[in-house]
Amino acid sequence: MYYGMPVGALSSKIAAGQGKPAQNDKILTTCTYCGTGCTLELNIKNEKIVGVTSNRDAEWSPVNKGALCVKGRFGWDFVNSPERLTTPLIKENGEFRPASWDEALDLAAKKLNAIKEKYGPDSLATFASARVSNEENYLAQKFARAALGTNNIDHCARLCHSVSVAGIGAAFGSGAMTNSIEDLAQDAACTFVIGTNTTENHPVIGYKIRQNVVKNGAKLIVADPRRVELAEIADVHMQFRPGTDVALLNGMMNVIISEGLLDQEFIEKRTEGFAELKEILEKYTPEYSAGITGVPAEDIRQAARIYAEAEAAAICYSMGLTQHSTGTDNVKSVCNLAMITGNVGRPGTGINALRGQNNVQGACDMGALPVVFTAYQKVIDDAAREKFEKAWGRPLSGTNGLTVTQTIHAAYDGVIKGMFVFGENPMVSDPDIQHVEDALDKLDFLLVQDIFLTETAMKADIVLPGVCFAEKDGTFTSTERRVQRIRKAVSAPGEARDDWWIISQLASRMGYPMSYDSAEEIFEEMRALTPSYAGMTYARLEGPGLTWPCPTEDHPGTPILHKEQFTRGLGLFHALDFKEPVELPDEEYPFILSTGRSLYHYHTGSMTRRSSGLNSHMPENRLQINSRTAAELGINGNEHVRLSTRRGSIILQAEITDILKDKVLFTYFHFAEAAANRLTDSHALDPVAGIPEFKVCAANLEKI
Ligand code: SF4
């Protein structure tokens, strides 16, 4: 299969570097990279991973049926990296020294308790992780709430899909992908892809969308400021100005209403709030929307007709839609579009929010969020809180906690005094890294638990070595809400220990006893408190997994949500006016800068940049520049340029390409040494969900 990357060249490089195994044990598990949830086989020889193969049996490979992208197939060698953390580390006089588990855990517990006693529990905060398992996220939020005594727990879903939880939740009542990946492969007569470079960021889903177009003749609409790969086969590509999503979507809905293409019966029977939406849409004629977005009015008309006239039309989006100061509005707007055409609750339809990391859906489901326990049970709800208090044997706080971005600001302001960062790397992932660094420097105590000495771990007082996906049992929940097993294939290096063991030890030493013998025991405790996971057991998850909600042990799971009615009863339309991004280009900073992901790297690069094959294909950061911009500045290609915003500057390699328009720039956020997030703005936030506006800030570019 083809995902736009030279797999053959990469294959021979890795084969030459590692040697092919003569005979392998094969352990079936779930990919540790994107949220697609592909299954793969880790090939083991002499207790080491020596390769990855795949299983074509749909029973064991329900999502990818044997297909893997370049990261899943070749991105495994970080597991064997000599840079893995193998012992606890304690910082003394600015230098780390190895320590025993007893010494490191006792000291960490003592430091956290001292801050709690002196400043109160809300002076502490925990970052959980979209990379680690459901069981580990469940324990992390239990640790924050029961042991630390605060709801200050969040994770990097805040930075990618917090607005999906808020926006789809407000419109439909349940903030998750409504349909299945298989729907996109065969049931969607039309797929509308907005703000997702699917073939690079969710390659197996991108492949399925492509196959549906090429083999089944499905229609494809792409809306993206860049001419991404799927645009090449689209019926319409709307190359809109970054940050004008609501204006574009309102323009499409104006056409649908004025041409009578709406689903009146669906609107009347299953929704509320249409009159207010209709009123606001009146001014968004295609010409008016064209003036804001830069998309020709005729393209808006054509896209609206194709989407509305399809028998079943699916919307897919990702961070291109969400990472805006209007992210929640953008998500509500795609929900409006789906509802006015009746494209919800049937095969091949729905709002398909493609989640970026392997277990970002699961981390949210497990309550690693500041306002909810597992399954989105609100911490301010007395009945929900009493249930968890009874189960956990502790009084719990009923005050909503701080988000990731609020936590960093609070640390900077001296309100947060101590942090436990588990599997996250805010020194690369969060906006305005200088601000993050200044905030972390002000903490009295920083504890980091990870598998590498990440940029954030380097700032810690104590570092605890955990295990990676190949070294543990557990579950991940994919973007389509499918809960699947991960299985231990190899032992952890050195003295690295199971993350659930570390958290349990830490809690116990703080005076809140936690004791577990296995990940399965934690899963059992979790499902008893989590209605949407209640019917799942490890035995039931052995095959293709189960999609939530799965309330009882005889329930088959729910691939399509909102079939007969929405989770909230009636679907709610939101009347939304277009708002400009927070920071627009001006004379000093005349370009729009967007940031995003590459096919070859994953999140903050801590794993993929230690994967030799992947890293060799993209060893340094690049800046995509339109050829006209490049010519004006005398940039000839492949040379290094200085990119600046009001937050800072980085130097990176130019890539001249006309996939984006003049005056728009695009760079990647995986590279600590040329970190895109040195440039992004930590104050330009969505007011509802707090997501930063990673997709639009004003920038300047210089030849050097
Ligand atoms: Fe892994 Fe995603 Fe690639 Fe599948 S598409 S192999 S889950 S990175």
Side-chain angles (χ1 to χ4, degrees), residues 466-506:
V467 298
C468 77
F469 83 113
E471 297 153 355
K472 62 188 169 194
D473 288 309
T475 55
F476 290 161
T477 305
S478 74
T479 187
E480 61 173 355
R481 297 172 281 105
R482 185 185 295 272
V483 183
Q484 299 181 109
R485 283 293 316 277
I486 56 168
R487 297 176 180 86
K488 180 170 177 169
V490 290
S491 299
E495 293 171 39
R497 297 292 300 259
D498 274 309
D499 295 87
W500 57 259
W501 179 87
I502 302 171
I503 294 171
S504 303
Q505 284 289 318
L506 199 54

Side-chain angles (χ1 to χ4, degrees), residues 31 33-38 68-69 71-73 202-204:
C31 180
Y33 290 115
C34 87
T36 302
C38 298
L68 291 172
C69 82
K71 284 197 285 287
R73 182 77 69 184
H202 298 85
V204 166

Side-chain angles (χ1 to χ4, degrees), residues 40-344:
L40 50 79
E41 298 165 334
L42 294 172
N43 292 205
I44 312 300
K45 191 177 179 193
N46 299 330
E47 297 189 18
K48 287 274 179 210
I49 301 173
V50 291
V52 161
T53 50
S54 52
N55 189 327
R56 290 187 179 278
D57 185 340
E59 173 70 9
W60 296 101
S61 186
V63 179
N64 51 317
K65 299 181 178 61
L68 291 172
C69 82
V70 66
K71 284 197 285 287
R73 182 77 69 184
F74 302 114
W76 52 266
D77 48 339
F78 76 89
V79 177
N80 300 335
S81 167
E83 293 178 47
R84 286 287 302 275
L85 291 170
T86 57
T87 180
L89 301 171
I90 293 176
K91 194 178 273 172
E92 276 177 0
N93 303 319
E95 299 285 330
F96 284 117
R97 65 163 175 85
S100 70
W101 275 109
D102 274 339
E103 185 188 13
L105 287 166
D106 281 343
L107 184 60
K110 192 172 142 197
K111 293 272 187 190
L112 291 170
N113 267 340
I115 292 172
K116 187 176 166 184
E117 267 167 42
K118 190 168 177 189
Y119 301 105
D122 287 337
S123 64
L124 294 166
T126 298
F127 285 179
S129 174
R131 280 192 295 158
V132 307
S133 68
N134 286 324
E135 293 77 359
E136 291 156 350
N137 273 296
Y138 171 78
L139 271 206
Q141 58 94 34
K142 181 178 177 181
F143 172 78
R145 295 187 160 113
L148 298 182
T150 177
N151 288 312
N152 291 340
I153 172 149
D154 203 7
H155 71 286
C156 65
R158 184 68 43 204
L159 310 175
C160 62
H161 273 287
S162 53
V163 295
S164 297
V165 176
I168 309 177
F172 298 170
S174 170
M177 179 164 163
T178 61
N179 285 57
S180 74
I181 294 169
E182 207 48 35
D183 277 25
L184 301 171
Q186 55 190 27
D187 295 323
C190 167
T191 303
F192 176 23
V193 166
I194 177 165
T196 157
N197 186 3
T198 325
T199 54
E200 286 213 34
N201 296 328
H202 298 85
V204 166
I205 298 176
Y207 170 74
K208 285 176 187 259
I209 293 171
R210 173 189 281 274
Q211 291 297 91
N212 196 28
V213 172
V214 174
K215 282 195 175 164
N216 304 332
K219 300 284 185 187
L220 179 63
I221 305 161
V222 173
D224 200 291
R226 293 189 298 161
R227 192 166 179 81
V228 293
E229 204 175 324
L230 280 179
E232 300 297 333
I233 56 163
D235 294 275
V236 192
H237 172 213
M238 296 184 284
Q239 194 165 11
F240 63 108
R241 173 166 68 91
T244 60
D245 308 62
V246 166
L248 184 71
L249 293 159
N250 279 355
M252 287 177 68
M253 285 184 271
N254 174 291
V255 174
I256 288 167
I257 291 173
S258 65
E259 298 190 6
L261 300 174
L262 66 183
D263 186 334
Q264 202 66 49
E265 191 184 342
F266 186 92
I267 294 168
E268 280 166 17
K269 285 193 179 150
R270 297 205 45 194
T271 69
E272 58 185 333
F274 179 65
E276 291 84 352
L277 173 68
K278 193 176 174 198
E279 191 182 337
I280 208 157
L281 289 177
E282 272 169 25
K283 75 176 180 196
Y284 286 91
T285 63
E287 285 69 23
Y288 181 75
S289 294
I292 298 170
T293 61
V295 176
E298 203 42 49
D299 286 358
I300 296 173
R301 282 195 182 87
Q302 198 190 344
R305 288 170 191 149
I306 292 172
Y307 177 81
E309 287 171 353
E311 190 62 30
I315 295 174
C316 290
Y317 73 82
S318 193
M319 301 195 309
L321 187 89
T322 62
Q323 290 179 329
H324 294 275
S325 57
T326 56
T328 302
D329 283 358
N330 294 351
V331 172
K332 287 176 177 171
S333 198
V334 288
C335 294
N336 286 344
L337 178 61
M339 287 193 291
I340 66 163
T341 51
N343 277 305
V344 187

Side-chain angles (χ1 to χ4, degrees), residues 435-497:
H435 179 64
V436 176
E437 186 164 17
D438 293 343
L440 296 183
D441 283 344
K442 290 189 177 189
L443 293 173
D444 288 357
F445 179 62
L446 175 60
L447 174 66
V448 171
Q449 184 169 319
D450 213 308
I451 61 171
F452 290 109
L453 196 62
T454 62
E455 291 71 20
T456 305
M458 281 189 246
K459 303 207 71 65
D461 299 289
I462 298 178
V463 180
L464 304 174
V467 298
C468 77
F469 83 113
E471 297 153 355
K472 62 188 169 194
D473 288 309
T475 55
F476 290 161
T477 305
S478 74
T479 187
E480 61 173 355
R481 297 172 281 105
R482 185 185 295 272
V483 183
Q484 299 181 109
R485 283 293 316 277
I486 56 168
R487 297 176 180 86
K488 180 170 177 169
V490 290
S491 299
E495 293 171 39
R497 297 292 300 259

